[in-house]
Amino acid sequence: MTKARWVRLVAGLFVLSLVVAACSNDDGGGTTDTTGGATGTTAETGSSGGGTTITIAGFAFDPDTITVSGPTEVTVTNDDSTTHTFTLDDGSVDQTVEPGATETVTVDVSASTGFHCNIHPQMTGQIEVS
């Protein structure tokens, strides 16, 4: 291989690596604290009948706090490779969410309450009522 071809090959690989790095730089829209752990995020729904989405990833709910007013549809997507649940602390909702699945439940609470995964108790979140 001639020196000119070698230089073109190396330059092409360098440019390709820059393109790949730029295309894969997705922070997921969350924030990170200085210790490298994800910080809490909050989603707020609209008026009665509004909806919100929660994603399960890395054994955590995102956002981990939602605000509702009246009955609210909550769509839960499990991006992990294991089964989780979306369970309200008051027991009014207990939905299993398989890996890669999306489930929609109606949350109808009159007071703030928590939610968690029955399988992984370290996974928790909060529902605030406005």
Side-chain angles (χ1 to χ4, degrees):
M1 182 179 286
T2 67
K3 184 175 180 180
R5 287 179 113 184
W6 179 252
V7 170
R8 282 194 303 265
L9 176 64
V10 170
L13 290 173
F14 177 74
V15 170
L16 179 61
S17 69
L18 290 176
V19 170
V20 169
C23 291
S24 65
N25 188 13
D26 178 15
D27 68 359
T31 57
T32 304
D33 67 18
T34 57
T35 61
T39 60
T41 55
T42 303
E44 194 167 323
T45 65
S47 61
S48 180
T52 193
T53 301
I54 295 175
T55 301
I56 299 171
F59 288 82
F61 294 104
D62 183 29
D64 61 3
T65 302
I66 61 173
T67 302
V68 301
S69 59
T72 303
E73 283 192 354
V74 176
T75 302
V76 182
T77 300
N78 183 357
D79 285 345
D80 279 341
S81 60
T82 189
T83 301
H84 293 290
T85 71
F86 176 75
T87 305
L88 297 191
D89 291 353
D90 68 5
S92 62
V93 173
D94 184 18
Q95 179 65 53
T96 299
V97 188
E98 297 294 332
T102 297
E103 302 290 342
T104 300
V105 297
T106 299
V107 172
D108 189 7
V109 294
S110 57
S112 296
T113 188
F115 59 88
H116 61 277
C117 173
N118 278 331
I119 303 166
H120 308 99
Q122 76 277 11
M123 294 175 56
T124 61
Q126 186 69 27
I127 298 174
E128 302 292 333
V129 177
S130 63

